[in-house]
Amino acid sequence: MDFDLSPRARDLVDRMEAFFADHLLPRNREWRAALDADALDAPFMPDLQDRARAAGLWNLGLPNFPDHGLGNLDFAPLAEIMGRLVWAPQVFNCQPPDLPNMITLDAVADPDQRQRWLEPMMAGGVRTGFAMSEPAVASADARNIALRIDRTSRGYMLNGRKWYVSNGAHPACAFLIVIGAMSEAGPRAGHTAVIVPMDTPGLSVRRRVDFLSWAEPTAPIAEIDFTDVEVPAENRLGAEGEGFGVAQTRLGPARVHHAMRAIGLAEVVVGLMRARAAERQSFNRALQEYDTVQGWIARSRAEIEQARLLVQRCAWMLDHEGHRAAQREVSMVKLIVPEMLQRIADRAIQLFGAMGGSADTPLASVFSWARAFRIFDGPDEVHLRQIYRHEPLPTVALTESPYLYPGAAPLSGAAVSGAK
Ligand SMILES: Cc1cc2nc3c(=O)[nH]c(=O)nc-3n(C[C@H](O)[C@H](O)[C@H](O)COP(=O)(O)OP(=O)(O)OC[C@H]3O[C@@H](n4cnc5c(N)ncnc54)[C@H](O)[C@@H]3O)c2cc1C
């Protein structure tokens, strides 16, 4: 495995670093002021998007568009830079959940659907959501998804309730990719994906939902009712019954992109810890002189480097061997990176004292986002299960293992078990 970047990616990283320093970081306080004033987007967003487009820093997360995107390994350091500020990915049209939705449309949309739904998204300014989870069922097991889809003479009728739909509460959200169960196919099969424009009669946003009292600022989250929502047949994505396959096209990239951005965010947090520890005095010493504080920072550094290597390995495998081969690595990234970010954010909050939980720093929202990341796109436990399943079965009974020494007593029922 070779984690060296391509010459194009190296050039893009340099240019993105410069763009970030010149145009994004100086406007972060302005972004925050717009948020506090309840603006949907910072007023400067369209201007920055134009600049990013002109600078060739647009749609870099779309791997199948050679004029735009890059492979996963090359995209990783760019996503890291974007991850430093929660609003930065939008400047480059790489924000979730739109980027994974674009990847899905690229993978499964027919030519008409590409023209109608994908191309406007690639041009920028179109917000979308992905509606799979439901309040009434354990959504970690996608087979439970129950929103009903009935065939009609014109297309499909949807009835049910979704929640935690990121972007769904944004007034500019144009459409959702909805996963539902075909009523004719039985309860555990026949899940299908359809595109539902937000202005379709019968679709209503019940309420905005938060997580840990943290309101996702860039992609506000909604609970949404579907009551006799009818869409034409041409809105179906992929074949009937193949909705999980459609969902998979986005979940892999979404998980890995989130992880790449999370590493950028962790770097910001460690930088803030370092600055605070250098400046704050307690019991006549700077905080940085205490072993405990040095240990927090050093552990955080080691954990970031560990996480980045795992992400690079996963990205390399996705690029060279495909999603199926990298399933275990995607799950490991999805397990390790949110835990890493949560731990680092927790240490930083402790180091900052009361200020760490205040709205004067991004630390509380980093912690909340990291905590949420341990649940969305599959909770930790589901990924642990996936990783466990890849562990090879034992080939000999334990007492016959050459790694044990003579004298180990046979265990009762010590036959090699294939049970998983
Ligand atoms: C901030 C945020 C944004 C989100 N955005 C979206 C979105 O845009 N679109 C969307 O569709 N959904 C979204 N979600 C929802 C998210 O994907 C689901 O919450 C997640 O899949 C878990 O489903 P659930 O909440 O129903 O938990 P459940 O399925 O009820 O699981 C609850 C807990 O049970 C345990 N558990 C479940 N299965 C297993 C298992 N196999 N083994 C061991 N333990 C298990 C886990 O601890 C799990 O956390 C978002 C969630 C959050 C918090």
Side-chain angles (χ1 to χ4, degrees):
M1 283 184 190
D2 175 5
F3 298 158
D4 274 350
L5 299 182
S6 69
R8 179 174 169 231
R10 277 202 298 273
D11 172 56
L12 283 167
V13 168
D14 290 345
R15 291 198 282 124
M16 171 126 0
E17 282 286 14
F19 193 93
F20 185 87
D22 293 345
H23 300 297
L24 273 76
L25 203 47
R27 308 198 88 158
N28 192 33
R29 290 181 177 180
E30 209 181 319
W31 172 81
R32 177 63 203 215
L35 187 73
D36 289 344
D38 277 338
L40 291 171
D41 274 328
F44 57 71
M45 187 56 78
D47 173 51
L48 281 195
Q49 288 176 325
D50 286 346
R51 287 170 189 261
R53 220 183 267 109
L57 299 173
W58 190 250
N59 284 339
L60 295 173
L62 287 174
N64 292 334
F65 293 84
D67 298 349
H68 297 269
L70 298 149
N72 287 286
L73 188 66
D74 277 348
F75 183 58
L78 294 154
E80 253 196 54
I81 298 171
M82 295 180 209
R84 293 173 194 162
L85 295 176
V86 66
W87 53 273
Q90 202 187 334
V91 173
F92 307 101
N93 211 32
C94 289
Q95 69 284 0
D98 302 307
L99 175 55
N101 281 352
M102 284 193 272
I103 290 173
T104 289
L105 290 170
D106 176 43
V108 300
D110 64 30
D112 289 343
Q113 290 173 328
R114 291 176 80 86
Q115 193 184 15
R116 173 140 187 226
W117 308 107
L118 176 59
E119 286 176 18
M121 290 183 78
M122 289 178 66
V126 178
R127 285 173 174 272
T128 61
F130 176 75
M132 183 138 146
S133 305
E134 299 177 8
V137 297
S139 303
D141 179 355
R143 296 168 307 174
N144 289 334
I145 297 307
L147 177 135
R148 212 180 73 222
I149 303 184
D150 295 295
R151 280 197 207 96
T152 65
S153 56
R154 204 168 73 83
Y156 298 100
M157 179 90 82
L158 282 69
N159 279 286
R161 178 172 293 172
K162 296 289 183 184
W163 81 338
Y164 277 88
V165 180
S166 301
N167 251 352
H170 199 293
C173 186
F175 67 86
L176 305 174
I177 297 175
V178 180
I179 308 289
M182 299 290 297
S183 57
E184 293 161 48
R188 297 220 155 221
H191 285 81
T192 297
V194 288
I195 293 179
V196 182
M198 289 297 283
D199 59 3
T200 311
L203 185 158
S204 64
V205 174
R206 289 190 80 222
R207 57 176 175 148
R208 182 170 172 168
V209 282
D210 297 339
F211 185 84
L212 281 181
S213 302
W214 158 78
E216 159 61 87
T218 53
I221 305 169
E223 180 169 300
I224 300 177
D225 273 342
F226 297 76
T227 310
D228 293 339
V229 170
E230 193 176 19
V231 292
E234 60 262 28
N235 281 27
R236 192 190 67 232
L237 277 177
E240 282 183 6
E242 291 183 1
F244 292 160
V246 173
Q248 279 309 324
T249 60
R250 78 188 294 294
L251 283 172
R255 288 167 178 148
V256 178
H257 291 170
H258 276 314
M260 293 167 177
R261 286 187 293 264
I263 291 173
L265 201 47
E267 289 282 7
V268 170
V269 174
V270 170
L272 293 173
M273 286 168 85
R274 195 79 178 81
R276 177 74 163 183
E279 290 174 16
R280 194 86 161 167
Q281 302 275 327
S282 183
F283 296 98
N284 300 322
R285 288 157 83 188
L287 291 179
Q288 67 182 5
E289 290 177 41
Y290 290 100
D291 282 355
T292 314
V293 173
Q294 291 176 7
W296 285 340
I297 292 172
R299 268 189 195 285
S300 302
R301 167 55 51 210
E303 289 168 9
I304 289 177
E305 299 302 327
Q306 209 175 19
R308 184 183 285 116
L309 275 172
L310 191 59
V311 168
Q312 284 173 323
R313 176 186 156 89
C314 177
W316 186 94
M317 286 184 72
L318 285 168
D319 290 344
H320 290 86
E321 295 172 9
H323 190 261
R324 189 168 286 277
Q327 250 178 4
R328 183 187 69 155
E329 275 63 25
V330 170
S331 279
M332 292 199 298
V333 159
K334 177 63 181 70
L335 177 76
I336 294 300
V337 176
E339 285 181 351
M340 173 278 292
L341 185 61
Q342 187 193 315
R343 273 195 307 273
I344 293 178
D346 186 60
R347 287 177 196 135
I349 289 169
Q350 194 69 15
L351 177 57
F352 270 72
M355 189 187 183
S358 76
D360 296 345
T361 77
L363 299 175
S365 56
V366 173
F367 181 88
S368 302
W369 185 78
R371 192 66 191 83
F373 190 15
R374 292 186 50 205
I375 293 174
F376 64 70
D377 291 348
D380 293 352
E381 294 72 20
V382 168
H383 291 287
L384 282 165
R385 210 163 154 231
Q386 183 70 248
I387 297 163
Y388 176 78
R389 281 181 172 161
H390 281 84
E391 278 304 294
L393 289 169
T395 50
V396 294
L398 184 58
T399 46
E400 284 161 28
S401 166
Y403 292 108
L404 291 194
Y405 299 118
L411 304 171
S412 61
V416 176
S417 162
K420 286 248 161 179

